[in-house]
Amino acid sequence: MRTTVGIIGAGPAGLLLARLLHNAGIDSVVLESRERAYVEQRQRAGILEQGTVDVLRAAGAGERMDREGLRHDGIELRFERQRHRVDFPALTGGRSVMVYAQTEVCKDLIALQRKEGGPLLFEAEALEVEGAESERPRVRFRHEGREDVLECEYVVGCDGFWGVARKAVPAELSRTFERTYPFGWLGILADVPPSHDELVYARHDRGFALLSMRSPAVSRLYLQVPEGTDPEAWADDDIWDELERRFETDDDWRLRRGPITAKSVTPMRSHVHEPMRHGRLFLAGDAAHIVPPTGAKGLNLAVGDVVTFARALVHLEETGSAERLDGYSETCLRRVWQAERFSYDMTTLLHRAPDATPFDDRIQLAGLRRIATSRAAETDLAEGYTGFPLA
């Protein structure tokens, strides 16, 4: 097989890249190791930044999002039993976010690719990227029981932290930066309408809690738990009791309870791989960087990466200049590190470390009070949450 751009991974990044290239008249092939049903069902991110929303609309993939997604104009911070709302549009010149699950983004992009785009191969396991420094890199893959080769002009690895793309960058050229956190998130899906119409981020002496949603009828909630926690060790009633404690306020707000349909624990870490380009191999999304979910940045960073690549390749096609492709890694990393900083700040502001001291507690509360009383601090949070500009 031959194509211009070989895309490894059919998550939102790989699928969106294929759509952007199709719209620009550039052919591609997408290889995805999992079956279609898995891709369309795996629960991941649910918050789309303003820039991501704009990109999906411009790509022709926003119709169902605009019909079924939930626009959010703010978030609520809770601490010391008090509530403070951060008004995004008022602080950012009209920017907001959209609650629309990654599963739904993937469904929309898969449908478009099947209808209009190039080959999208499920259960096609990428085995190795060869010749990244050559003008014709190759992806060896296994599909339908036999090995094949995809010859490309460029390869974009959207295949996550454990994929083959990042492994194709020589170790002597790679630098990694990482921080792990001694806690995770116990996440649940529940068949109950959300208890608030916007996301609630709660800092409590017992640990962090987040109230989110997937639809007007389905709630998504999280509890900070020790690293390595078994989700099945938590009984449903105990989860609801603990959520109730951490969200408690001095007014008459109440948490709605309902049947829990799924439980999982998400580990927390920050990770960046530099560079994000080696020859004609480009890394995007989790293949290059991971953020703790507190800042809602993972999917949105991946979108920024593939938009940067697509624009750079179109620029090369139109002008003959490879300057933007050559600057891909540097351009992406400027945005990546801002998102890493924001996610780290949100995580350390709201989570209580196992060895936290009274001094640490006072510092956290001082930070939250600063946001609640300073328009400058509140604006910084709103700008970071709604998204850093796409290059």
Side-chain angles (χ1 to χ4, degrees), residues 304-319:
D305 295 343
V306 298
V307 168
T308 300
F309 175 82
R311 290 177 177 174
L313 188 56
V314 169
H315 182 72
L316 172 63
E317 296 276 327
E318 293 177 346
T319 69

Side-chain angles (χ1 to χ4, degrees), residues 160-161 166 177 269-274 276 283-292 297-306 328 332-333 335-337 339-340:
F161 181 81
R166 185 170 53 86
F177 305 85
R269 64 181 177 135
S270 305
H271 178 94
V272 179
H273 178 280
E274 297 184 1
M276 290 176 59
L283 305 180
D286 286 1
H289 42 73
I290 294 172
V291 289
K297 289 284 164 277
L299 180 155
N300 297 290
L301 272 184
V303 167
D305 295 343
V306 298
Y328 170 81
C332 289
L333 285 169
R335 190 167 184 269
V336 166
W337 278 111
E340 291 282 355

Side-chain angles (χ1 to χ4, degrees), residues 235-310:
D236 291 6
D237 285 344
D238 293 339
I239 293 173
W240 288 117
D241 289 346
E242 189 61 26
L243 286 166
E244 210 160 62
R245 291 186 192 100
R246 298 189 193 184
F247 285 125
E248 62 188 357
T249 64
D250 283 335
D251 58 19
D252 60 357
W253 181 90
R254 292 292 179 268
L255 179 68
R256 295 171 178 165
R257 299 189 179 206
I260 294 175
T261 59
K263 301 178 193 175
S264 62
V265 169
T266 302
M268 306 280 282
R269 64 181 177 135
S270 305
H271 178 94
V272 179
H273 178 280
E274 297 184 1
M276 290 176 59
R277 176 193 179 183
H278 174 59
R280 292 194 171 215
L281 167 65
F282 298 78
L283 305 180
D286 286 1
H289 42 73
I290 294 172
V291 289
T294 325
K297 289 284 164 277
L299 180 155
N300 297 290
L301 272 184
V303 167
D305 295 343
V306 298
V307 168
T308 300
F309 175 82

Side-chain angles (χ1 to χ4, degrees), residues 108-124:
D108 295 342
L109 290 168
I110 288 171
L112 284 170
Q113 187 72 5
R114 289 294 206 196
K115 181 180 178 181
E116 304 172 3
L120 168 54
L121 305 183
F122 290 102
E123 298 181 82

Side-chain angles (χ1 to χ4, degrees), residues 56-67:
L56 289 170
R57 286 172 178 157
E63 180 182 354
R64 193 164 69 93
M65 174 190 70
D66 284 329
R67 187 172 66 249

Side-chain angles (χ1 to χ4, degrees), residues 131-279:
E133 297 180 11
S134 72
E135 293 186 358
R136 299 294 298 184
R138 296 151 49 97
V139 182
R140 286 197 306 106
F141 68 97
R142 182 182 295 112
H143 184 237
E144 296 180 343
R146 64 182 182 88
E147 285 196 17
D148 204 341
V149 173
L150 177 63
E151 295 185 356
C152 322
E153 294 181 27
Y154 307 93
V155 176
V156 182
C158 305
D159 53 342
F161 181 81
W162 301 106
V164 302
R166 185 170 53 86
K167 297 173 184 176
V169 181
E172 63 271 19
L173 301 179
S174 300
R175 297 184 67 194
T176 58
F177 305 85
E178 188 167 51
R179 176 180 292 273
T180 57
Y181 301 86
F183 44 75
W185 279 9
L186 170 62
I188 64 167
L189 280 172
D191 286 338
V192 60
S195 302
H196 194 59
D197 55 2
E198 293 178 334
L199 274 69
V200 177
Y201 288 76
R203 186 270 176 201
H204 193 276
D205 287 342
R206 295 175 65 90
F208 168 76
L210 172 62
L211 186 158
S212 183
M213 64 282 294
R214 283 294 179 263
S215 75
V218 178
S219 293
R220 181 75 159 151
L221 301 107
Y222 299 92
L223 284 171
Q224 176 188 342
V225 294
E227 182 183 20
T229 292
D230 177 4
E232 297 307 319
W234 280 75
D236 291 6
D237 285 344
D238 293 339
I239 293 173
W240 288 117
D241 289 346
E242 189 61 26
L243 286 166
E244 210 160 62
R245 291 186 192 100
R246 298 189 193 184
F247 285 125
E248 62 188 357
T249 64
D250 283 335
D251 58 19
D252 60 357
W253 181 90
R254 292 292 179 268
L255 179 68
R256 295 171 178 165
R257 299 189 179 206
I260 294 175
T261 59
K263 301 178 193 175
S264 62
V265 169
T266 302
M268 306 280 282
R269 64 181 177 135
S270 305
H271 178 94
V272 179
H273 178 280
E274 297 184 1
M276 290 176 59
R277 176 193 179 183
H278 174 59

